[in-house]
Amino acid sequence: MSITRHDSNQRMSQLVVHGNTAYLAGQVADDFNADITTQTQQVLAKVESLLATAGSDKDHILSATIIIKDMAQFGEMNAVWDAWVADSGKPARAAIQADMAAPNILVEICVIAAVK
């Protein structure tokens, strides 16, 4: 089975497709100065774009890992997630609080999805 890597640099690829499975690197917002709602919206837009590149979509997400900087903002992030995933198959999901690579990153999302 082939492995296809997209948007690679010396350290990582944003998307790796192996067989009928797509693996996305952790996605973060474009605007680190935005609030958690906007950052979550931006992250999910990136996830959708990468899934489309892989030949997949949010209905085919198998698993999602959400890393959040501050659990006090969990409800705000969940409101965006719930609206985004509302009509889709609900993936297995984990959410953890952690220090981020940059101080203004509020949320990072990693997903694994089936390719259609």
Side-chain angles (χ1 to χ4, degrees), residues 16-39:
V16 176
V17 179
H18 177 253
N20 293 324
T21 307
Y23 303 85
L24 277 63
Q27 299 301 305
V28 296
D30 291 320
D31 181 1
F32 294 167
N33 294 314
D35 64 13
I36 187 77
T37 296
T38 302
Q39 284 197 27

Side-chain angles (χ1 to χ4, degrees), residues 17-18 28 34 38 40 48 52 59 61 63 79 85-86 88 95 104 106 115:
V17 179
H18 177 253
V28 296
T38 302
T40 304
E48 281 198 71
D59 293 330
I61 296 175
S63 168
V85 79
S88 302
N104 291 338
L106 303 178
V115 174

Side-chain angles (χ1 to χ4, degrees), residues 9 13 43 47 64 97:
N9 62 28
S13 298
V43 169
V47 166
Q97 178 175 317

Side-chain angles (χ1 to χ4, degrees), residues 58 60-64 81 84-85 88-94 111-112:
K58 66 183 176 179
H60 289 80
I61 296 175
L62 304 171
S63 168
W81 173 270
W84 182 75
V85 79
S88 302
K90 311 304 186 270
R93 192 186 103 161
V111 303
I112 299 170

